[in-house]
mmCIF file of all heavy atoms in Angstrom:
data_model
loop_
_atom_site.group_PDB
_atom_site.id
_atom_site.type_symbol
_atom_site.label_atom_id
_atom_site.label_comp_id
_atom_site.label_asym_id
_atom_site.label_seq_id
_atom_site.Cartn_x
_atom_site.Cartn_y
_atom_site.Cartn_z
ATOM 1 N N VAL A 1264 -137.941 170.575 -136.508
ATOM 2 C CA VAL A 1264 -136.933 171.631 -136.445
ATOM 3 C C VAL A 1264 -135.531 171.034 -136.344
ATOM 4 O O VAL A 1264 -135.352 169.910 -135.870
ATOM 5 C CB VAL A 1264 -137.173 172.581 -135.251
ATOM 6 C CG1 VAL A 1264 -138.470 173.337 -135.418
ATOM 7 C CG2 VAL A 1264 -137.155 171.822 -133.936
ATOM 8 N N THR A 1265 -134.579 171.803 -136.792
ATOM 9 C CA THR A 1265 -133.172 171.412 -136.659
ATOM 10 C C THR A 1265 -132.462 172.247 -135.600
ATOM 11 O O THR A 1265 -131.378 171.873 -135.149
ATOM 12 C CB THR A 1265 -132.436 171.564 -137.999
ATOM 13 O OG1 THR A 1265 -132.532 172.931 -138.445
ATOM 14 C CG2 THR A 1265 -133.058 170.669 -139.059
ATOM 15 N N LYS A 1266 -133.062 173.360 -135.227
ATOM 16 C CA LYS A 1266 -132.460 174.262 -134.240
ATOM 17 C C LYS A 1266 -133.447 174.471 -133.092
ATOM 18 O O LYS A 1266 -134.581 174.869 -133.313
ATOM 19 C CB LYS A 1266 -132.097 175.609 -134.871
ATOM 20 C CG LYS A 1266 -131.156 175.515 -136.068
ATOM 21 C CD LYS A 1266 -130.905 176.878 -136.660
ATOM 22 C CE LYS A 1266 -129.983 176.809 -137.870
ATOM 23 N NZ LYS A 1266 -130.619 176.111 -139.014
ATOM 24 N N GLY A 1267 -132.993 174.211 -131.871
ATOM 25 C CA GLY A 1267 -133.851 174.392 -130.711
ATOM 26 C C GLY A 1267 -133.967 175.849 -130.293
ATOM 27 O O GLY A 1267 -133.190 176.699 -130.730
ATOM 28 N N LYS A 1268 -134.930 176.121 -129.443
ATOM 29 C CA LYS A 1268 -135.062 177.456 -128.856
ATOM 30 C C LYS A 1268 -133.781 177.764 -128.074
ATOM 31 O O LYS A 1268 -133.195 176.871 -127.493
ATOM 32 C CB LYS A 1268 -136.274 177.502 -127.920
ATOM 33 C CG LYS A 1268 -137.593 177.108 -128.586
ATOM 34 C CD LYS A 1268 -138.690 176.917 -127.548
ATOM 35 C CE LYS A 1268 -139.962 176.363 -128.160
ATOM 36 N NZ LYS A 1268 -141.013 176.124 -127.166
ATOM 37 N N PRO A 1269 -133.281 179.000 -128.083
ATOM 38 C CA PRO A 1269 -133.940 180.264 -128.473
ATOM 39 C C PRO A 1269 -133.915 180.603 -129.963
ATOM 40 O O PRO A 1269 -134.298 181.707 -130.329
ATOM 41 C CB PRO A 1269 -133.160 181.306 -127.672
ATOM 42 C CG PRO A 1269 -131.780 180.737 -127.584
ATOM 43 C CD PRO A 1269 -131.973 179.245 -127.442
ATOM 44 N N HIS A 1270 -133.448 179.700 -130.809
ATOM 45 C CA HIS A 1270 -133.551 179.965 -132.245
ATOM 46 C C HIS A 1270 -135.033 180.055 -132.619
ATOM 47 O O HIS A 1270 -135.858 179.287 -132.124
ATOM 48 C CB HIS A 1270 -132.876 178.842 -133.032
ATOM 49 C CG HIS A 1270 -132.652 179.188 -134.473
ATOM 50 N ND1 HIS A 1270 -133.652 179.087 -135.419
ATOM 51 C CD2 HIS A 1270 -131.554 179.650 -135.120
ATOM 52 C CE1 HIS A 1270 -133.178 179.475 -136.588
ATOM 53 N NE2 HIS A 1270 -131.910 179.814 -136.446
ATOM 54 N N PRO A 1271 -135.385 180.966 -133.509
ATOM 55 C CA PRO A 1271 -136.809 181.196 -133.821
ATOM 56 C C PRO A 1271 -137.420 180.185 -134.782
ATOM 57 O O PRO A 1271 -138.613 180.296 -135.112
ATOM 58 C CB PRO A 1271 -136.795 182.591 -134.445
ATOM 59 C CG PRO A 1271 -135.443 182.710 -135.075
ATOM 60 C CD PRO A 1271 -134.523 182.000 -134.124
ATOM 61 N N GLU A 1272 -136.675 179.185 -135.237
ATOM 62 C CA GLU A 1272 -137.161 178.286 -136.288
ATOM 63 C C GLU A 1272 -138.545 177.718 -136.001
ATOM 64 O O GLU A 1272 -139.425 177.730 -136.866
ATOM 65 C CB GLU A 1272 -136.175 177.145 -136.511
ATOM 66 C CG GLU A 1272 -136.625 176.186 -137.620
ATOM 67 C CD GLU A 1272 -135.717 174.976 -137.776
ATOM 68 O OE1 GLU A 1272 -134.860 174.749 -136.896
ATOM 69 O OE2 GLU A 1272 -135.880 174.257 -138.778
ATOM 70 N N ILE A 1273 -138.769 177.207 -134.791
ATOM 71 C CA ILE A 1273 -140.045 176.564 -134.480
ATOM 72 C C ILE A 1273 -141.215 177.522 -134.647
ATOM 73 O O ILE A 1273 -142.264 177.165 -135.199
ATOM 74 C CB ILE A 1273 -140.031 175.956 -133.052
ATOM 75 C CG1 ILE A 1273 -141.326 175.211 -132.760
ATOM 76 C CG2 ILE A 1273 -139.790 177.026 -131.996
ATOM 77 C CD1 ILE A 1273 -141.521 173.945 -133.522
ATOM 78 N N TYR A 1274 -141.033 178.773 -134.223
ATOM 79 C CA TYR A 1274 -142.140 179.724 -134.298
ATOM 80 C C TYR A 1274 -142.288 180.337 -135.683
ATOM 81 O O TYR A 1274 -143.380 180.752 -136.072
ATOM 82 C CB TYR A 1274 -141.988 180.781 -133.199
ATOM 83 C CG TYR A 1274 -142.221 180.176 -131.834
ATOM 84 C CD1 TYR A 1274 -141.424 180.498 -130.754
ATOM 85 C CD2 TYR A 1274 -143.228 179.233 -131.647
ATOM 86 C CE1 TYR A 1274 -141.627 179.918 -129.504
ATOM 87 C CE2 TYR A 1274 -143.436 178.644 -130.417
ATOM 88 C CZ TYR A 1274 -142.640 178.990 -129.350
ATOM 89 O OH TYR A 1274 -142.847 178.393 -128.126
ATOM 90 N N GLN A 1275 -141.221 180.382 -136.437
ATOM 91 C CA GLN A 1275 -141.336 180.780 -137.836
ATOM 92 C C GLN A 1275 -142.153 179.749 -138.610
ATOM 93 O O GLN A 1275 -143.024 180.092 -139.413
ATOM 94 C CB GLN A 1275 -139.942 180.934 -138.445
ATOM 95 C CG GLN A 1275 -139.158 182.107 -137.896
ATOM 96 C CD GLN A 1275 -137.692 182.075 -138.283
ATOM 97 O OE1 GLN A 1275 -137.129 181.013 -138.582
ATOM 98 N NE2 GLN A 1275 -137.043 183.234 -138.275
ATOM 99 N N LYS A 1276 -141.882 178.482 -138.345
ATOM 100 C CA LYS A 1276 -142.611 177.411 -139.029
ATOM 101 C C LYS A 1276 -144.058 177.322 -138.558
ATOM 102 O O LYS A 1276 -144.950 176.967 -139.332
ATOM 103 C CB LYS A 1276 -141.886 176.085 -138.824
ATOM 104 C CG LYS A 1276 -140.578 175.994 -139.599
ATOM 105 C CD LYS A 1276 -139.937 174.623 -139.491
ATOM 106 C CE LYS A 1276 -138.725 174.526 -140.420
ATOM 107 N NZ LYS A 1276 -138.067 173.194 -140.359
ATOM 108 N N CYS A 1277 -144.303 177.645 -137.290
ATOM 109 C CA CYS A 1277 -145.673 177.658 -136.786
ATOM 110 C C CYS A 1277 -146.520 178.696 -137.503
ATOM 111 O O CYS A 1277 -147.667 178.425 -137.895
ATOM 112 C CB CYS A 1277 -145.678 177.939 -135.280
ATOM 113 S SG CYS A 1277 -145.292 176.509 -134.251
ATOM 114 N N ALA A 1278 -145.976 179.888 -137.660
ATOM 115 C CA ALA A 1278 -146.714 180.949 -138.349
ATOM 116 C C ALA A 1278 -147.028 180.537 -139.788
ATOM 117 O O ALA A 1278 -148.151 180.723 -140.282
ATOM 118 C CB ALA A 1278 -145.922 182.249 -138.315
ATOM 119 N N LYS A 1279 -146.045 179.960 -140.445
ATOM 120 C CA LYS A 1279 -146.241 179.517 -141.829
ATOM 121 C C LYS A 1279 -147.309 178.435 -141.909
ATOM 122 O O LYS A 1279 -148.106 178.397 -142.849
ATOM 123 C CB LYS A 1279 -144.917 179.004 -142.395
ATOM 124 C CG LYS A 1279 -144.968 178.666 -143.873
ATOM 125 C CD LYS A 1279 -143.594 178.273 -144.389
ATOM 126 C CE LYS A 1279 -143.641 177.958 -145.886
ATOM 127 N NZ LYS A 1279 -142.287 177.586 -146.388
ATOM 128 N N ALA A 1280 -147.348 177.569 -140.893
ATOM 129 C CA ALA A 1280 -148.297 176.453 -140.889
ATOM 130 C C ALA A 1280 -149.748 176.920 -140.835
ATOM 131 O O ALA A 1280 -150.652 176.227 -141.320
ATOM 132 C CB ALA A 1280 -148.007 175.528 -139.711
ATOM 133 N N ILE A 1281 -149.975 178.089 -140.249
ATOM 134 C CA ILE A 1281 -151.344 178.618 -140.177
ATOM 135 C C ILE A 1281 -151.535 179.820 -141.109
ATOM 136 O O ILE A 1281 -152.484 180.575 -140.968
ATOM 137 C CB ILE A 1281 -151.733 178.996 -138.729
ATOM 138 C CG1 ILE A 1281 -150.710 179.944 -138.092
ATOM 139 C CG2 ILE A 1281 -151.902 177.736 -137.884
ATOM 140 C CD1 ILE A 1281 -151.111 180.461 -136.726
ATOM 141 N N ASN A 1282 -150.582 179.965 -142.047
ATOM 142 C CA ASN A 1282 -150.691 181.004 -143.083
ATOM 143 C C ASN A 1282 -150.789 182.403 -142.486
ATOM 144 O O ASN A 1282 -151.635 183.208 -142.875
ATOM 145 C CB ASN A 1282 -151.889 180.732 -143.993
ATOM 146 C CG ASN A 1282 -151.837 181.521 -145.289
ATOM 147 O OD1 ASN A 1282 -150.749 181.831 -145.798
ATOM 148 N ND2 ASN A 1282 -152.995 181.859 -145.831
ATOM 149 N N ARG A 1283 -149.907 182.661 -141.534
ATOM 150 C CA ARG A 1283 -149.857 183.971 -140.887
ATOM 151 C C ARG A 1283 -148.432 184.516 -140.908
ATOM 152 O O ARG A 1283 -147.461 183.750 -140.945
ATOM 153 C CB ARG A 1283 -150.332 183.883 -139.428
ATOM 154 C CG ARG A 1283 -151.810 183.562 -139.261
ATOM 155 C CD ARG A 1283 -152.675 184.714 -139.729
ATOM 156 N NE ARG A 1283 -154.089 184.519 -139.455
ATOM 157 C CZ ARG A 1283 -154.946 183.959 -140.285
ATOM 158 N NH1 ARG A 1283 -154.527 183.484 -141.456
ATOM 159 N NH2 ARG A 1283 -156.229 183.848 -139.980
ATOM 160 N N GLU A 1284 -148.323 185.835 -140.860
ATOM 161 C CA GLU A 1284 -147.024 186.477 -140.650
ATOM 162 C C GLU A 1284 -146.702 186.426 -139.166
ATOM 163 O O GLU A 1284 -147.607 186.558 -138.325
ATOM 164 C CB GLU A 1284 -147.067 187.933 -141.123
ATOM 165 C CG GLU A 1284 -147.344 188.108 -142.602
ATOM 166 C CD GLU A 1284 -146.222 187.581 -143.476
ATOM 167 O OE1 GLU A 1284 -145.059 187.610 -143.022
ATOM 168 O OE2 GLU A 1284 -146.516 187.135 -144.603
ATOM 169 N N ASN A 1285 -145.424 186.265 -138.833
ATOM 170 C CA ASN A 1285 -145.054 186.241 -137.417
ATOM 171 C C ASN A 1285 -145.449 187.518 -136.694
ATOM 172 O O ASN A 1285 -145.811 187.485 -135.513
ATOM 173 C CB ASN A 1285 -143.555 185.988 -137.247
ATOM 174 C CG ASN A 1285 -143.209 184.513 -137.237
ATOM 175 O OD1 ASN A 1285 -142.711 183.961 -138.214
ATOM 176 N ND2 ASN A 1285 -143.494 183.849 -136.118
ATOM 177 N N ALA A 1286 -145.409 188.629 -137.398
ATOM 178 C CA ALA A 1286 -145.774 189.906 -136.783
ATOM 179 C C ALA A 1286 -147.236 189.938 -136.360
ATOM 180 O O ALA A 1286 -147.624 190.740 -135.506
ATOM 181 C CB ALA A 1286 -145.480 191.058 -137.748
ATOM 182 N N ASN A 1287 -148.054 189.058 -136.939
ATOM 183 C CA ASN A 1287 -149.471 188.992 -136.592
ATOM 184 C C ASN A 1287 -149.789 187.823 -135.675
ATOM 185 O O ASN A 1287 -150.966 187.473 -135.499
ATOM 186 C CB ASN A 1287 -150.321 188.893 -137.868
ATOM 187 C CG ASN A 1287 -150.285 190.164 -138.685
ATOM 188 O OD1 ASN A 1287 -150.168 191.257 -138.138
ATOM 189 N ND2 ASN A 1287 -150.356 190.026 -139.998
ATOM 190 N N CYS A 1288 -148.745 187.231 -135.091
ATOM 191 C CA CYS A 1288 -148.936 186.090 -134.200
ATOM 192 C C CYS A 1288 -148.556 186.440 -132.767
ATOM 193 O O CYS A 1288 -147.675 187.279 -132.523
ATOM 194 C CB CYS A 1288 -148.080 184.906 -134.644
ATOM 195 S SG CYS A 1288 -148.652 184.107 -136.152
ATOM 196 N N ILE A 1289 -149.226 185.783 -131.840
ATOM 197 C CA ILE A 1289 -148.847 185.842 -130.429
ATOM 198 C C ILE A 1289 -148.354 184.462 -130.028
ATOM 199 O O ILE A 1289 -149.002 183.448 -130.292
ATOM 200 C CB ILE A 1289 -150.029 186.251 -129.536
ATOM 201 C CG1 ILE A 1289 -150.397 187.710 -129.781
ATOM 202 C CG2 ILE A 1289 -149.686 186.044 -128.058
ATOM 203 C CD1 ILE A 1289 -151.540 188.213 -128.923
ATOM 204 N N VAL A 1290 -147.186 184.434 -129.406
ATOM 205 C CA VAL A 1290 -146.618 183.199 -128.878
ATOM 206 C C VAL A 1290 -146.884 183.144 -127.381
ATOM 207 O O VAL A 1290 -146.562 184.079 -126.648
ATOM 208 C CB VAL A 1290 -145.102 183.131 -129.147
ATOM 209 C CG1 VAL A 1290 -144.467 181.975 -128.390
ATOM 210 C CG2 VAL A 1290 -144.837 183.006 -130.644
ATOM 211 N N PHE A 1291 -147.467 182.039 -126.928
ATOM 212 C CA PHE A 1291 -147.679 181.800 -125.503
ATOM 213 C C PHE A 1291 -146.543 180.923 -125.006
ATOM 214 O O PHE A 1291 -146.389 179.781 -125.447
ATOM 215 C CB PHE A 1291 -149.031 181.113 -125.267
ATOM 216 C CG PHE A 1291 -150.217 181.990 -125.548
ATOM 217 C CD1 PHE A 1291 -150.671 182.175 -126.847
ATOM 218 C CD2 PHE A 1291 -150.879 182.646 -124.506
ATOM 219 C CE1 PHE A 1291 -151.765 182.982 -127.113
ATOM 220 C CE2 PHE A 1291 -151.970 183.454 -124.760
ATOM 221 C CZ PHE A 1291 -152.415 183.628 -126.068
ATOM 222 N N GLU A 1292 -145.743 181.452 -124.097
ATOM 223 C CA GLU A 1292 -144.519 180.775 -123.652
ATOM 224 C C GLU A 1292 -144.309 180.940 -122.165
ATOM 225 O O GLU A 1292 -144.784 181.894 -121.551
ATOM 226 C CB GLU A 1292 -143.297 181.349 -124.380
ATOM 227 C CG GLU A 1292 -142.765 180.508 -125.514
ATOM 228 C CD GLU A 1292 -142.037 179.244 -125.065
ATOM 229 O OE1 GLU A 1292 -141.930 179.003 -123.840
ATOM 230 O OE2 GLU A 1292 -141.576 178.496 -125.934
ATOM 231 N N ASP A 1293 -143.578 179.994 -121.590
ATOM 232 C CA ASP A 1293 -143.184 180.086 -120.178
ATOM 233 C C ASP A 1293 -141.683 180.106 -120.000
ATOM 234 O O ASP A 1293 -141.177 180.646 -119.019
ATOM 235 C CB ASP A 1293 -143.746 178.893 -119.397
ATOM 236 C CG ASP A 1293 -143.049 177.599 -119.773
ATOM 237 O OD1 ASP A 1293 -143.087 177.209 -120.956
ATOM 238 O OD2 ASP A 1293 -142.444 176.961 -118.885
ATOM 239 N N ALA A 1294 -140.937 179.509 -120.936
ATOM 240 C CA ALA A 1294 -139.485 179.363 -120.795
ATOM 241 C C ALA A 1294 -138.760 180.583 -121.344
ATOM 242 O O ALA A 1294 -139.184 181.176 -122.342
ATOM 243 C CB ALA A 1294 -139.008 178.107 -121.507
ATOM 244 N N LEU A 1295 -137.652 180.939 -120.709
ATOM 245 C CA LEU A 1295 -136.889 182.097 -121.160
ATOM 246 C C LEU A 1295 -136.385 181.902 -122.582
ATOM 247 O O LEU A 1295 -136.404 182.834 -123.388
ATOM 248 C CB LEU A 1295 -135.712 182.347 -120.203
ATOM 249 C CG LEU A 1295 -136.070 182.602 -118.729
ATOM 250 C CD1 LEU A 1295 -134.814 182.910 -117.927
ATOM 251 C CD2 LEU A 1295 -137.082 183.734 -118.595
ATOM 252 N N SER A 1296 -135.921 180.690 -122.895
ATOM 253 C CA SER A 1296 -135.431 180.422 -124.249
ATOM 254 C C SER A 1296 -136.570 180.507 -125.262
ATOM 255 O O SER A 1296 -136.377 180.968 -126.393
ATOM 256 C CB SER A 1296 -134.759 179.049 -124.319
ATOM 257 O OG SER A 1296 -135.665 178.024 -123.980
ATOM 258 N N GLY A 1297 -137.764 180.092 -124.866
ATOM 259 C CA GLY A 1297 -138.911 180.154 -125.763
ATOM 260 C C GLY A 1297 -139.390 181.572 -125.990
ATOM 261 O O GLY A 1297 -139.804 181.931 -127.099
ATOM 262 N N ILE A 1298 -139.363 182.368 -124.941
ATOM 263 C CA ILE A 1298 -139.727 183.782 -125.077
ATOM 264 C C ILE A 1298 -138.786 184.467 -126.058
ATOM 265 O O ILE A 1298 -139.212 185.224 -126.931
ATOM 266 C CB ILE A 1298 -139.707 184.479 -123.699
ATOM 267 C CG1 ILE A 1298 -140.884 183.965 -122.846
ATOM 268 C CG2 ILE A 1298 -139.775 186.001 -123.856
ATOM 269 C CD1 ILE A 1298 -140.832 184.424 -121.403
ATOM 270 N N GLN A 1299 -137.492 184.178 -125.928
ATOM 271 C CA GLN A 1299 -136.521 184.759 -126.852
ATOM 272 C C GLN A 1299 -136.766 184.279 -128.271
ATOM 273 O O GLN A 1299 -136.654 185.049 -129.229
ATOM 274 C CB GLN A 1299 -135.097 184.400 -126.423
ATOM 275 C CG GLN A 1299 -134.017 185.045 -127.286
ATOM 276 C CD GLN A 1299 -134.135 186.552 -127.336
ATOM 277 O OE1 GLN A 1299 -134.151 187.211 -126.299
ATOM 278 N NE2 GLN A 1299 -134.233 187.121 -128.536
ATOM 279 N N ALA A 1300 -137.122 182.997 -128.424
ATOM 280 C CA ALA A 1300 -137.414 182.458 -129.754
ATOM 281 C C ALA A 1300 -138.596 183.182 -130.391
ATOM 282 O O ALA A 1300 -138.567 183.525 -131.574
ATOM 283 C CB ALA A 1300 -137.699 180.959 -129.658
ATOM 284 N N GLY A 1301 -139.647 183.407 -129.606
ATOM 285 C CA GLY A 1301 -140.808 184.113 -130.119
ATOM 286 C C GLY A 1301 -140.487 185.539 -130.520
ATOM 287 O O GLY A 1301 -140.928 186.014 -131.576
ATOM 288 N N LYS A 1302 -139.717 186.218 -129.691
ATOM 289 C CA LYS A 1302 -139.325 187.593 -130.007
ATOM 290 C C LYS A 1302 -138.463 187.641 -131.264
ATOM 291 O O LYS A 1302 -138.648 188.501 -132.124
ATOM 292 C CB LYS A 1302 -138.566 188.201 -128.829
ATOM 293 C CG LYS A 1302 -139.425 188.507 -127.612
ATOM 294 C CD LYS A 1302 -138.589 189.115 -126.493
ATOM 295 C CE LYS A 1302 -139.434 189.496 -125.307
ATOM 296 N NZ LYS A 1302 -138.612 190.075 -124.211
ATOM 297 N N SER A 1303 -137.519 186.704 -131.361
ATOM 298 C CA SER A 1303 -136.625 186.675 -132.516
ATOM 299 C C SER A 1303 -137.383 186.378 -133.804
ATOM 300 O O SER A 1303 -136.979 186.793 -134.889
ATOM 301 C CB SER A 1303 -135.523 185.637 -132.310
ATOM 302 O OG SER A 1303 -134.693 185.989 -131.216
ATOM 303 N N ALA A 1304 -138.496 185.647 -133.676
ATOM 304 C CA ALA A 1304 -139.325 185.372 -134.843
ATOM 305 C C ALA A 1304 -140.135 186.592 -135.265
ATOM 306 O O ALA A 1304 -140.688 186.632 -136.361
ATOM 307 C CB ALA A 1304 -140.266 184.205 -134.552
ATOM 308 N N GLY A 1305 -140.219 187.587 -134.376
ATOM 309 C CA GLY A 1305 -140.970 188.801 -134.679
ATOM 310 C C GLY A 1305 -142.395 188.795 -134.186
ATOM 311 O O GLY A 1305 -143.212 189.616 -134.607
ATOM 312 N N SER A 1306 -142.705 187.870 -133.279
ATOM 313 C CA SER A 1306 -144.067 187.750 -132.768
ATOM 314 C C SER A 1306 -144.239 188.471 -131.438
ATOM 315 O O SER A 1306 -143.258 188.784 -130.754
ATOM 316 C CB SER A 1306 -144.428 186.269 -132.585
ATOM 317 O OG SER A 1306 -144.425 185.590 -133.822
ATOM 318 N N LYS A 1307 -145.472 188.714 -131.070
ATOM 319 C CA LYS A 1307 -145.803 189.218 -129.748
ATOM 320 C C LYS A 1307 -145.728 188.062 -128.751
ATOM 321 O O LYS A 1307 -145.813 186.890 -129.132
ATOM 322 C CB LYS A 1307 -147.207 189.825 -129.733
ATOM 323 C CG LYS A 1307 -147.430 190.936 -130.744
ATOM 324 C CD LYS A 1307 -146.608 192.174 -130.421
ATOM 325 C CE LYS A 1307 -146.980 193.323 -131.367
ATOM 326 N NZ LYS A 1307 -146.198 194.557 -131.054
ATOM 327 N N ILE A 1308 -145.602 188.397 -127.468
ATOM 328 C CA ILE A 1308 -145.404 187.372 -126.443
ATOM 329 C C ILE A 1308 -146.413 187.531 -125.312
ATOM 330 O O ILE A 1308 -146.559 188.614 -124.742
ATOM 331 C CB ILE A 1308 -143.987 187.439 -125.833
ATOM 332 C CG1 ILE A 1308 -142.913 187.312 -126.921
ATOM 333 C CG2 ILE A 1308 -143.816 186.364 -124.760
ATOM 334 C CD1 ILE A 1308 -142.863 185.986 -127.618
ATOM 335 N N VAL A 1309 -147.092 186.429 -124.986
ATOM 336 C CA VAL A 1309 -147.793 186.310 -123.718
ATOM 337 C C VAL A 1309 -146.998 185.304 -122.896
ATOM 338 O O VAL A 1309 -146.883 184.132 -123.264
ATOM 339 C CB VAL A 1309 -149.246 185.836 -123.889
ATOM 340 C CG1 VAL A 1309 -149.862 185.552 -122.515
ATOM 341 C CG2 VAL A 1309 -150.066 186.889 -124.622
#
C-alpha cells in the first residue's frame, strides 16, 4: 500500500485479492483508524 489507514486502500486490495466485493466482506479490526478504513472501503466491521 501507499496510503496507511484510515485510508481504505489496504482493505480494497484485500477484497480484490480474494475476488470479493468489499460490500460482501467483513473486516476484523481493533484500531480506530482500521475500523474507519474498513468502513470507507464499504465493508462490514467486527
Side-chain angles (χ1 to χ4, degrees):
V1264 295
T1265 58
K1266 303 177 181 67
K1268 303 169 187 178
H1270 194 279
E1272 181 185 12
I1273 184 70
Y1274 291 138
Q1275 291 168 336
K1276 289 185 173 180
C1277 280
K1279 187 175 181 179
I1281 53 174
N1282 196 30
R1283 292 291 186 269
E1284 298 294 330
N1285 274 103
N1287 292 328
C1288 288
I1289 291 181
V1290 170
F1291 291 81
E1292 258 287 0
D1293 70 300
L1295 301 183
S1296 60
I1298 290 171
Q1299 184 56 55
K1302 289 180 177 179
S1303 296
S1306 297
K1307 303 293 186 179
I1308 303 294
V1309 172

